[in-house]
Each structure stands twice: as C-alpha cells, then as structure tokens.
Amino acid sequence: MPPTPTWRLKALTARTLHLLAEPVSGCDNVRVALSTRVRHPLTVVLKSWTLVLDPDRAGLWDLFLGSRLLLRRAAYREIKNSGRVASETELRTWTKMAVDELIRRYPKILLLDGLHHPDVCTEPPLIEWTEAPFERLNAAQLKDSIHLLHVPKVEFHGSEQDMVLLVEAIETGRFPLETFAELPGLHVATLPVQLSVAHTLNPRMEHIEEFLTRKQDVQQTLINCYKRKSEGLFEAQANPRRLFSGMHLDTTRLARAAVARRTGKRVKLFRSRAHDYQRLFDPFQHLVVRGTDLNSLFSGPAGRPRWSAQGEAIMAAVFQKLGTDYSVFAFRDRLLTCGDGRQVYLHLPTKVKDYTDPFDAAFWNHLAHALDPDDGGFPGERAGLATIQLRTLVKEVERIAKVLEHPYRTIMLSSVHGMPTGSEFQDSSFLIATAEMLEQQLEMVHEQYAGRRIDTDFVYVCQDVKDHGRPGGRVIDLPTL
C-alpha cells in the first residue's frame, strides 16, 4: 500500500503549482489541474501541456515527474502522426528517463513522496494526447457541494454525462438546493466553476491590449474618480513655527521669558500646530471585490442593453495602476426548468483573481478565457439575479476581512441581464421581493462595517429591479445601463 503523500497538493494555489512545474518542464505554457475525479493519480496531457492530478493520491514527486514527461511531447506527436499508438515499452522508457533526469538535476528530490515515486511504483503514469479519463459522478458526490472543472483543449472522458446526472439529481431532490424566505418559489444550486488555463498571454489578449492603449484617457478619468471618492485624512508631522502670540504654548521656551524681562527683548513663546492632516490615497488600505455577470455581455431580455467585455479589461487596468487589492469573480448563471416544471437557478461563479494574485500574464489570460462568449455547455437559459451574485461578493469580503483589515472596501457588481422573459421571476411581485432582499443586503453590509468605509455605489442592476426598489432606499439609486 503506497504511503499517503505528506505534501498535500490541495494546500497549494494554482499559481504555486504552475511556478513549481514551469522550470522542471521548461515550458511556460504548462497547466496544472487538480480533481479527485480523475481516474489516474497523474495524467499527462501532452497536446495542451496539461497535468491533471488527484490531490488525495498524488504528491509533489508526481507533479515534478509529470512536468518532466511533458518534454516527450514531440516524440509522442511523431508516433501519433505515424498512425500508431505509443507502446508500453516506450512509456516506461520515457518515465525512466524522466526519473533519471530529475535525480541528476535535483539530487534531493527523492525525499519527496508520491504515488509514482521509484521506491514505491515502477508503473508509468497515464500519458495521453488530448484526453483525461474521469470517473462518473456518484450519489455521494451529488449530496455535497461540487465544483466544475474546465480546462481548455482537454477532453475529460467520463464527464460527458455530468450535466445530465446533475439535472437528474436536482429533479429527484438528491442535490442540495437553497431557498430564501424573501424570494418564494426560488431554488438555488451553487456550482463553483474552476477554470485552469496557461499562465502566459493568450493571443486573444492582443486586441484587448490595443484597446487599453487607445483608452488611456478613460482609464485616467476612472482613476481620478476613484481616488477622489477614496482619499483619506492622514496625520503628517509638521515643523511648528514659533509665534509671539497664539493658542499653543511652547513650554520649552518659558525659561527665556525670565531672561527677556531683564533684557527687554520679545520672545516667541507660542508655536503653530505640531501636526497636519493631508488628503492622501494609500492603495494598501483599499480592497476592491468585483463581480461580473457574463450573461450581461449579451443583449438582455426585452432589448435590455448589454455590458461591455472591454469594459472589464478597463476596470482591471484601472485597479492595476491604482495598486489596490483586487479580487474578481465571473458569473455564468442559468435558469434551469426541470421535468416537473420547477425552475432552479444555477449559480455558477468562477474566481478569476484572488486579492493576493498579481496582475501578471496568468491573470490576463484567465480574464480572457473567463470573458469567452461561449456558454460553456451549461443547461438552461441565461439568467442574472443580483441578490445571489452580491451574496458571493459579500462572502469574499468577509473571508478577506479575517486575514486583512482594510479601512476602505469597495464592492462592484455588473448584473444588468436580469431573469429570462416569460419566467415566473419576471412578474412584479418577484421583482419587488428581489429589490427588497437586495435592499436588506446592502443595509446589512453597511451596518456590519459601520465606522469603516464600505462603498456599494458601483453595484449595477437591471432596470426592472431598480424600478421596483423601495422609495428613498438604496436600490432605487443604484446605477444601471
């Protein structure tokens, strides 16, 4: 029985896994994806430079072994082009060569553990061109919250029926659904989507870079606008001036007053204020959590205007220049109609950037893939419910608040698509309930961070929700398109 890896891959971020794999593979396009459903502990997908590992079974040794095996991409492609399949002998030879190369380059690497460690297993890992075999969803997984994994150019065999099984589980009550007293009749299934992409610039980013270059003036306007809203008073030490009269007595000069009585010379016994306050912008004190409803990039129901994908790039560039902590989510939510007529709201959030991640090529490539107009093959109609999406952003603010105390917090949401026309969630009673729940969420956020600045002025909602807001409340003043 192979030992359990002591180095848990699931404890490492996607960026850390990439940084570990890149120098070993010699390729900056390498991608590392983790999934407990992958059939083999380590699958090497050569065409897309991808490693798929089971974090419960694989260890750091497996990560480095797979990274080194990516160098056999050219040899595998030559075999594939010749019309034959790589033999077991060739796979073992490649694995033996990879092990020898690792030991020669990193003599202490044998101290790491993994299922394919040469002291444990001599079998080669699974090496494929485009496929990564997956296990089917089972009943135990459907009872818990699950994540969806999307890796461009990788085919997950065994996952083709995931959506069918998921819909069946929802219809039969085997998948947990949330309900809200404020929104009667609404059932919500939350399925986080993990997007694994290369950490280098994608060619599709070229036109975005050109666009950002042309829109430097727009970026500067937004930067100035945010700074004006977010400047704080900072105490600065000043050099006090000596005065003949004033309100602040300088006790260090009282001895001179006695001498002055004898000489008749006037002495400046007062001073100006010892401290000054200046309006400054300190980016390290600011946290911005942004969410975008990707359905808002399309024309909404009844001819509603759509959000601009290029606008997302501008916002990212603005906060990159400002230097604030910046966390980004993308939502591709759907409204699913079950066989029994029930409608379930599928909340599909993708975390594009954590506040600790830098604005590097990995982020911009991740953003480009996240803004892809492809619907991802998810069932149902495009839908956007601002209350559910705002809740995800508020949870992110609360999570970060446990680690860092930012005096200034900003929540930004672009959700102007709304619910599909013709659904039961488009009548006035539901829109009023939605606006009221959104009102309560905003009030709760401002109460929770009372005494610390929290800005929700950049929460964009669809016109229907705004029109049904409480008179004099926050929702009716929210911006829209």
Side-chain angles (χ1 to χ4, degrees):
M1 185 72 179
T4 302
T6 55
W7 290 87
R8 290 290 182 179
L9 294 180
K10 63 177 60 177
L12 305 178
T13 65
R15 190 174 302 273
T16 301
L17 293 171
H18 168 78
L19 292 175
L20 291 173
E22 179 183 351
V24 179
S25 65
C27 173
D28 55 6
N29 286 328
V30 62
R31 296 181 294 184
V32 182
L34 302 180
S35 175
T36 55
R37 288 183 56 202
V38 67
R39 191 168 300 168
H40 299 268
L42 168 61
T43 302
V44 183
V45 186
L46 294 173
K47 183 178 181 179
S48 58
W49 299 91
T50 302
L51 304 176
V52 186
L53 301 101
D54 183 344
D56 292 339
R57 293 182 289 168
L60 278 178
W61 169 268
D62 302 303
L63 173 66
F64 291 131
L65 177 62
S67 303
R68 201 64 189 170
L69 284 170
L70 289 173
L71 296 175
R72 310 297 172 228
R73 185 174 184 269
Y76 195 103
R77 180 172 53 192
E78 184 177 340
I79 293 174
K80 185 176 179 62
N81 291 340
S82 67
R84 65 184 186 88
V85 179
S87 66
E88 185 72 16
T89 300
E90 288 171 319
L91 297 180
R92 287 180 180 275
T93 300
W94 292 346
T95 302
K96 179 65 167 58
M97 292 172 61
V99 170
D100 293 342
E101 291 168 358
L102 286 173
I103 296 174
R104 186 168 58 252
R105 295 185 62 180
Y106 313 102
K108 297 292 186 180
I109 199 169
L110 287 174
L111 296 176
L112 301 177
D113 53 10
L115 204 61
H116 289 281
H117 193 285
D119 294 340
V120 177
C121 176
T122 59
E123 294 295 320
L126 182 64
I127 303 176
E128 294 284 354
W129 186 243
T130 60
E131 305 169 359
F134 259 40
E135 300 290 352
R136 287 167 56 91
L137 280 174
N138 55 50
Q141 292 169 325
L142 290 171
K143 289 180 181 178
D144 301 321
S145 177
I146 63 175
H147 287 66
L148 302 178
L149 176 64
H150 175 60
V151 184
K153 299 181 181 180
V154 176
E155 302 172 11
F156 293 113
H157 280 199
S159 64
E160 301 88 347
Q161 299 298 312
D162 281 3
M163 281 300 161
V164 175
L165 295 173
L166 182 61
V167 172
E168 290 179 356
I170 291 175
E171 292 178 342
T172 57
R174 290 183 290 115
F175 187 85
L177 300 177
E178 292 182 276
T179 58
F180 300 90
E182 301 90 341
L183 302 176
L186 180 70
H187 298 81
V188 178
T190 300
L191 297 165
V193 180
Q194 178 187 346
L195 179 62
S196 180
V197 298
H199 286 221
T200 54
L201 280 179
N202 190 290
R204 74 179 71 185
M205 282 300 302
E206 291 181 4
H207 75 278
I208 294 181
E209 290 179 335
E210 294 174 358
F211 174 78
L212 292 176
T213 302
R214 296 196 308 269
K215 297 296 182 179
Q216 293 288 343
D217 55 336
V218 177
Q219 297 175 46
Q220 191 58 50
T221 299
L222 292 173
I223 289 173
N224 295 338
C225 175
Y226 184 84
K227 281 186 173 181
R228 283 196 300 269
K229 284 179 62 68
S230 307
E231 284 178 344
L233 291 176
F234 289 85
E235 187 176 8
Q237 194 75 25
N239 294 321
R241 293 182 294 112
R242 307 299 179 186
L243 305 171
F244 287 113
S245 62
M247 299 180 60
H248 302 281
L249 182 65
D250 188 348
T251 56
T252 64
R253 301 175 66 87
L254 291 178
R256 301 189 182 191
V259 178
R261 291 181 61 183
R262 295 178 179 272
T263 61
K265 184 179 179 180
R266 295 182 63 191
V267 180
K268 296 180 179 180
L269 297 178
F270 297 88
R271 58 173 175 79
S272 62
R273 191 170 54 182
H275 293 80
D276 193 14
Y277 291 89
Q278 302 176 6
R279 298 192 67 84
L280 299 173
F281 176 80
D282 182 2
F284 297 104
Q285 299 201 15
H286 291 257
L287 169 67
V288 179
V289 176
R290 179 166 181 77
T292 300
D293 174 22
L294 298 183
N295 298 314
S296 297
L297 303 180
F298 302 87
S299 296
R304 295 181 193 136
R306 63 188 182 94
W307 195 259
S308 169
Q310 294 174 328
E312 289 304 310
I314 285 183
M315 296 307 300
V318 164
F319 288 104
Q320 179 182 18
K321 293 179 179 179
L322 283 169
T324 64
D325 286 337
Y326 191 55
S327 183
V328 185
F329 282 83
F331 307 113
R332 203 184 294 269
D333 299 353
R334 317 288 284 187
L335 185 63
L336 173 68
T337 302
C338 299
D340 57 5
R342 284 185 305 148
Q343 291 186 309
V344 176
Y345 184 85
L346 298 181
H347 181 45
L348 306 170
T350 298
K351 193 166 193 177
V352 180
K353 181 184 182 300
D354 188 68
Y355 77 101
T356 58
D357 297 337
F359 287 90
D360 57 3
F363 162 69
W364 288 105
N365 194 29
H366 205 165
L367 181 65
H369 278 89
L371 296 178
D372 193 321
D374 180 27
D375 62 6
F378 298 113
E381 299 179 81
R382 304 182 196 277
L385 197 55
T387 54
I388 304 301
Q389 295 167 352
L390 179 63
R391 184 184 64 159
T392 297
L393 302 183
V394 172
K395 287 182 178 179
E396 177 71 357
V397 172
E398 293 172 347
R399 181 188 72 85
I400 298 174
K402 296 177 181 178
V403 182
L404 288 177
E405 182 64 29
H406 293 87
Y408 299 87
R409 299 177 176 89
T410 301
I411 298 177
M412 308 179 78
L413 173 64
S414 303
S415 181
V416 297
H417 186 276
M419 300 296 276
T421 301
S423 69
E424 60 182 285
F425 307 114
Q426 268 291 301
D427 59 29
S428 296
S429 60
F430 186 83
L431 290 173
I432 292 174
T434 301
E436 184 60 30
M437 182 176 176
L438 192 58
E439 189 80 47
Q440 295 174 10
Q441 286 177 300
L442 294 173
E443 290 179 355
M444 189 177 302
V445 168
H446 284 272
E447 289 177 4
Q448 181 178 354
Y449 295 98
R452 293 164 291 176
R453 188 178 180 280
I454 183 78
D455 190 351
T456 57
D457 292 345
F458 299 98
V459 174
Y460 282 73
V461 298
C462 67
Q463 189 66 49
D464 293 344
V465 173
K466 178 181 171 70
D467 290 343
H468 289 80
R470 182 197 309 169
R474 297 179 183 274
V475 173
I476 203 169
D477 291 330
L478 292 178
T480 187
L481 295 181

